[in-house]
PDB file of all heavy atoms in Angstrom:
ATOM      1  N   PRO A   7      29.928  21.122  15.023  1.00  0.00           N
ATOM      2  CA  PRO A   7      29.159  21.496  16.219  1.00  0.00           C
ATOM      3  C   PRO A   7      27.814  20.777  16.340  1.00  0.00           C
ATOM      4  O   PRO A   7      27.376  20.481  17.459  1.00  0.00           O
ATOM      5  CB  PRO A   7      28.959  23.012  16.061  1.00  0.00           C
ATOM      6  CG  PRO A   7      29.240  23.313  14.622  1.00  0.00           C
ATOM      7  CD  PRO A   7      30.236  22.283  14.181  1.00  0.00           C
ATOM      8  N   LEU A  56      27.763  18.736   7.173  1.00  0.00           N
ATOM      9  CA  LEU A  56      27.164  19.580   6.129  1.00  0.00           C
ATOM     10  C   LEU A  56      25.707  19.165   5.874  1.00  0.00           C
ATOM     11  O   LEU A  56      24.824  20.018   5.738  1.00  0.00           O
ATOM     12  CB  LEU A  56      27.994  19.469   4.835  1.00  0.00           C
ATOM     13  CG  LEU A  56      27.483  20.258   3.625  1.00  0.00           C
ATOM     14  CD1 LEU A  56      27.461  21.759   3.919  1.00  0.00           C
ATOM     15  CD2 LEU A  56      28.369  19.990   2.394  1.00  0.00           C
ATOM     16  N   HIS A  67      24.345   9.888  -7.112  1.00  0.00           N
ATOM     17  CA  HIS A  67      23.531   8.756  -7.491  1.00  0.00           C
ATOM     18  C   HIS A  67      24.414   7.674  -8.087  1.00  0.00           C
ATOM     19  O   HIS A  67      25.048   7.863  -9.117  1.00  0.00           O
ATOM     20  CB  HIS A  67      22.562   9.255  -8.542  1.00  0.00           C
ATOM     21  CG  HIS A  67      21.446   8.326  -8.823  1.00  0.00           C
ATOM     22  ND1 HIS A  67      21.636   7.105  -9.383  1.00  0.00           N
ATOM     23  CD2 HIS A  67      20.124   8.472  -8.616  1.00  0.00           C
ATOM     24  CE1 HIS A  67      20.462   6.535  -9.535  1.00  0.00           C
ATOM     25  NE2 HIS A  67      19.535   7.341  -9.077  1.00  0.00           N
ATOM     26  N   ARG A 101      29.464  -5.453   0.204  1.00  0.00           N
ATOM     27  CA  ARG A 101      28.630  -6.303   1.056  1.00  0.00           C
ATOM     28  C   ARG A 101      29.292  -7.671   1.168  1.00  0.00           C
ATOM     29  O   ARG A 101      29.558  -8.304   0.156  1.00  0.00           O
ATOM     30  CB  ARG A 101      27.232  -6.456   0.460  1.00  0.00           C
ATOM     31  CG  ARG A 101      26.460  -5.148   0.472  1.00  0.00           C
ATOM     32  CD  ARG A 101      25.030  -5.321  -0.007  1.00  0.00           C
ATOM     33  NE  ARG A 101      24.372  -4.014  -0.049  1.00  0.00           N
ATOM     34  CZ  ARG A 101      23.223  -3.784  -0.661  1.00  0.00           C
ATOM     35  NH1 ARG A 101      22.589  -4.769  -1.282  1.00  0.00           N
ATOM     36  NH2 ARG A 101      22.693  -2.581  -0.649  1.00  0.00           N
ATOM     37  N   PHE A 154      40.095 -10.327  -3.658  1.00  0.00           N
ATOM     38  CA  PHE A 154      41.151 -11.336  -3.695  1.00  0.00           C
ATOM     39  C   PHE A 154      41.504 -11.792  -2.279  1.00  0.00           C
ATOM     40  O   PHE A 154      41.600 -12.984  -1.985  1.00  0.00           O
ATOM     41  CB  PHE A 154      42.391 -10.743  -4.390  1.00  0.00           C
ATOM     42  CG  PHE A 154      43.460 -11.746  -4.710  1.00  0.00           C
ATOM     43  CD1 PHE A 154      43.502 -12.363  -5.959  1.00  0.00           C
ATOM     44  CD2 PHE A 154      44.438 -12.079  -3.774  1.00  0.00           C
ATOM     45  CE1 PHE A 154      44.497 -13.288  -6.263  1.00  0.00           C
ATOM     46  CE2 PHE A 154      45.430 -13.005  -4.079  1.00  0.00           C
ATOM     47  CZ  PHE A 154      45.463 -13.613  -5.328  1.00  0.00           C
ATOM     48  N   GLU A 155      41.648 -10.813  -1.407  1.00  0.00           N
ATOM     49  CA  GLU A 155      41.989 -11.104  -0.017  1.00  0.00           C
ATOM     50  C   GLU A 155      40.879 -11.919   0.672  1.00  0.00           C
ATOM     51  O   GLU A 155      41.143 -12.897   1.365  1.00  0.00           O
ATOM     52  CB  GLU A 155      42.182  -9.765   0.713  1.00  0.00           C
ATOM     53  CG  GLU A 155      42.980  -9.847   1.975  1.00  0.00           C
ATOM     54  CD  GLU A 155      44.481  -9.760   1.746  1.00  0.00           C
ATOM     55  OE1 GLU A 155      44.936  -9.934   0.599  1.00  0.00           O
ATOM     56  OE2 GLU A 155      45.191  -9.540   2.742  1.00  0.00           O
ATOM     57  N   LEU A 171      19.427 -12.453  -6.363  1.00  0.00           N
ATOM     58  CA  LEU A 171      19.094 -12.995  -5.050  1.00  0.00           C
ATOM     59  C   LEU A 171      19.911 -12.222  -4.032  1.00  0.00           C
ATOM     60  O   LEU A 171      21.137 -12.206  -4.105  1.00  0.00           O
ATOM     61  CB  LEU A 171      19.446 -14.490  -4.991  1.00  0.00           C
ATOM     62  CG  LEU A 171      19.261 -15.154  -3.630  1.00  0.00           C
ATOM     63  CD1 LEU A 171      17.799 -15.147  -3.199  1.00  0.00           C
ATOM     64  CD2 LEU A 171      19.808 -16.579  -3.645  1.00  0.00           C
ATOM     65  N   ALA A 196      22.581 -23.853   2.905  1.00  0.00           N
ATOM     66  CA  ALA A 196      22.461 -24.757   1.748  1.00  0.00           C
ATOM     67  C   ALA A 196      21.900 -24.009   0.537  1.00  0.00           C
ATOM     68  O   ALA A 196      22.397 -24.168  -0.587  1.00  0.00           O
ATOM     69  CB  ALA A 196      21.569 -25.948   2.103  1.00  0.00           C
ATOM     70  N   GLY A 220      12.680 -19.438  12.303  1.00  0.00           N
ATOM     71  CA  GLY A 220      12.507 -20.781  12.852  1.00  0.00           C
ATOM     72  C   GLY A 220      11.119 -21.072  13.388  1.00  0.00           C
ATOM     73  O   GLY A 220      10.733 -22.221  13.537  1.00  0.00           O
ATOM     74  N   TRP A 240       4.734 -26.724  12.908  1.00  0.00           N
ATOM     75  CA  TRP A 240       4.611 -28.157  13.193  1.00  0.00           C
ATOM     76  C   TRP A 240       3.174 -28.587  12.965  1.00  0.00           C
ATOM     77  O   TRP A 240       2.267 -27.761  12.911  1.00  0.00           O
ATOM     78  CB  TRP A 240       5.061 -28.469  14.628  1.00  0.00           C
ATOM     79  CG  TRP A 240       4.181 -27.868  15.674  1.00  0.00           C
ATOM     80  CD1 TRP A 240       3.137 -28.460  16.293  1.00  0.00           C
ATOM     81  CD2 TRP A 240       4.247 -26.543  16.212  1.00  0.00           C
ATOM     82  NE1 TRP A 240       2.545 -27.592  17.180  1.00  0.00           N
ATOM     83  CE2 TRP A 240       3.203 -26.412  17.148  1.00  0.00           C
ATOM     84  CE3 TRP A 240       5.092 -25.441  15.985  1.00  0.00           C
ATOM     85  CZ2 TRP A 240       2.976 -25.238  17.859  1.00  0.00           C
ATOM     86  CZ3 TRP A 240       4.866 -24.277  16.700  1.00  0.00           C
ATOM     87  CH2 TRP A 240       3.825 -24.174  17.622  1.00  0.00           C
ATOM     88  N   GLN A 249       3.309 -30.977  35.010  1.00  0.00           N
ATOM     89  CA  GLN A 249       3.913 -30.533  36.278  1.00  0.00           C
ATOM     90  C   GLN A 249       4.362 -29.086  36.177  1.00  0.00           C
ATOM     91  O   GLN A 249       4.190 -28.296  37.105  1.00  0.00           O
ATOM     92  CB  GLN A 249       5.127 -31.407  36.598  1.00  0.00           C
ATOM     93  CG  GLN A 249       4.728 -32.648  37.354  1.00  0.00           C
ATOM     94  CD  GLN A 249       5.949 -33.438  37.782  1.00  0.00           C
ATOM     95  OE1 GLN A 249       6.986 -33.412  37.103  1.00  0.00           O
ATOM     96  NE2 GLN A 249       5.831 -34.144  38.878  1.00  0.00           N
ATOM     97  N   LEU A 259       7.159 -21.005  38.842  1.00  0.00           N
ATOM     98  CA  LEU A 259       7.894 -20.657  37.625  1.00  0.00           C
ATOM     99  C   LEU A 259       7.471 -19.264  37.156  1.00  0.00           C
ATOM    100  O   LEU A 259       6.295 -18.913  37.229  1.00  0.00           O
ATOM    101  CB  LEU A 259       7.614 -21.680  36.511  1.00  0.00           C
ATOM    102  CG  LEU A 259       8.227 -23.068  36.688  1.00  0.00           C
ATOM    103  CD1 LEU A 259       7.811 -23.969  35.520  1.00  0.00           C
ATOM    104  CD2 LEU A 259       9.743 -22.991  36.769  1.00  0.00           C
ATOM    105  N   ASN A 300      -5.509 -29.773  19.669  1.00  0.00           N
ATOM    106  CA  ASN A 300      -4.434 -29.389  18.748  1.00  0.00           C
ATOM    107  C   ASN A 300      -4.887 -29.226  17.308  1.00  0.00           C
ATOM    108  O   ASN A 300      -4.294 -28.472  16.554  1.00  0.00           O
ATOM    109  CB  ASN A 300      -3.289 -30.402  18.828  1.00  0.00           C
ATOM    110  CG  ASN A 300      -2.421 -30.151  20.038  1.00  0.00           C
ATOM    111  OD1 ASN A 300      -1.594 -29.260  20.042  1.00  0.00           O
ATOM    112  ND2 ASN A 300      -2.638 -30.932  21.090  1.00  0.00           N
ATOM    113  N   ARG A 315       8.405 -23.422  29.730  1.00  0.00           N
ATOM    114  CA  ARG A 315       8.869 -24.655  30.390  1.00  0.00           C
ATOM    115  C   ARG A 315       7.770 -25.706  30.440  1.00  0.00           C
ATOM    116  O   ARG A 315       8.036 -26.863  30.751  1.00  0.00           O
ATOM    117  CB  ARG A 315       9.393 -24.352  31.797  1.00  0.00           C
ATOM    118  CG  ARG A 315      10.653 -23.500  31.720  1.00  0.00           C
ATOM    119  CD  ARG A 315      11.215 -23.191  33.076  1.00  0.00           C
ATOM    120  NE  ARG A 315      11.792 -24.364  33.726  1.00  0.00           N
ATOM    121  CZ  ARG A 315      12.591 -24.282  34.783  1.00  0.00           C
ATOM    122  NH1 ARG A 315      12.892 -23.103  35.286  1.00  0.00           N
ATOM    123  NH2 ARG A 315      13.082 -25.372  35.333  1.00  0.00           N
ATOM    124  N   LEU A 325       8.227 -26.439   7.631  1.00  0.00           N
ATOM    125  CA  LEU A 325       8.071 -24.998   7.499  1.00  0.00           C
ATOM    126  C   LEU A 325       6.943 -24.663   6.536  1.00  0.00           C
ATOM    127  O   LEU A 325       6.513 -25.492   5.739  1.00  0.00           O
ATOM    128  CB  LEU A 325       9.391 -24.331   7.062  1.00  0.00           C
ATOM    129  CG  LEU A 325      10.062 -24.760   5.762  1.00  0.00           C
ATOM    130  CD1 LEU A 325       9.433 -24.078   4.549  1.00  0.00           C
ATOM    131  CD2 LEU A 325      11.544 -24.370   5.817  1.00  0.00           C
ATOM    132  N   ASP A 356      15.269 -30.941  -1.627  1.00  0.00           N
ATOM    133  CA  ASP A 356      14.818 -30.935  -3.028  1.00  0.00           C
ATOM    134  C   ASP A 356      13.409 -30.389  -3.200  1.00  0.00           C
ATOM    135  O   ASP A 356      13.127 -29.670  -4.147  1.00  0.00           O
ATOM    136  CB  ASP A 356      14.907 -32.349  -3.623  1.00  0.00           C
ATOM    137  CG  ASP A 356      16.354 -32.738  -3.890  1.00  0.00           C
ATOM    138  OD1 ASP A 356      17.181 -31.816  -4.042  1.00  0.00           O
ATOM    139  OD2 ASP A 356      16.652 -33.941  -3.918  1.00  0.00           O
ATOM    140  N   GLU A 381       4.153  -8.039  -6.534  1.00  0.00           N
ATOM    141  CA  GLU A 381       3.392  -7.230  -7.488  1.00  0.00           C
ATOM    142  C   GLU A 381       2.925  -8.060  -8.678  1.00  0.00           C
ATOM    143  O   GLU A 381       1.832  -7.856  -9.203  1.00  0.00           O
ATOM    144  CB  GLU A 381       4.249  -6.039  -7.954  1.00  0.00           C
ATOM    145  CG  GLU A 381       4.448  -5.027  -6.835  1.00  0.00           C
ATOM    146  CD  GLU A 381       5.628  -4.085  -7.054  1.00  0.00           C
ATOM    147  OE1 GLU A 381       6.590  -4.462  -7.761  1.00  0.00           O
ATOM    148  OE2 GLU A 381       5.597  -2.978  -6.506  1.00  0.00           O
ATOM    149  N   VAL A 420     -15.882 -25.282 -18.509  1.00  0.00           N
ATOM    150  CA  VAL A 420     -17.323 -25.123 -18.760  1.00  0.00           C
ATOM    151  C   VAL A 420     -17.772 -26.154 -19.793  1.00  0.00           C
ATOM    152  O   VAL A 420     -17.181 -26.239 -20.880  1.00  0.00           O
ATOM    153  CB  VAL A 420     -17.619 -23.691 -19.263  1.00  0.00           C
ATOM    154  CG1 VAL A 420     -19.112 -23.494 -19.458  1.00  0.00           C
ATOM    155  CG2 VAL A 420     -17.067 -22.664 -18.282  1.00  0.00           C
ATOM    156  N   HIS A 435     -34.995 -18.394 -29.902  1.00  0.00           N
ATOM    157  CA  HIS A 435     -35.055 -17.090 -29.235  1.00  0.00           C
ATOM    158  C   HIS A 435     -35.124 -16.023 -30.315  1.00  0.00           C
ATOM    159  O   HIS A 435     -34.102 -15.669 -30.902  1.00  0.00           O
ATOM    160  CB  HIS A 435     -33.797 -16.865 -28.386  1.00  0.00           C
ATOM    161  CG  HIS A 435     -33.580 -17.925 -27.355  1.00  0.00           C
ATOM    162  ND1 HIS A 435     -34.166 -17.919 -26.106  1.00  0.00           N
ATOM    163  CD2 HIS A 435     -32.856 -19.081 -27.399  1.00  0.00           C
ATOM    164  CE1 HIS A 435     -33.803 -18.973 -25.427  1.00  0.00           C
ATOM    165  NE2 HIS A 435     -33.006 -19.716 -26.189  1.00  0.00           N
TER     166      HIS A 435
END
Side-chain angles (χ1 to χ4, degrees):
Chain A
L56 178 61
H67 194 295
R101 293 185 183 166
F154 190 94
E155 200 86 344
L171 175 64
W240 66 94
Q249 273 185 330
L259 289 178
N300 281 282
R315 294 181 70 165
L325 58 82
D356 287 337
E381 290 161 334
V420 183
H435 302 275

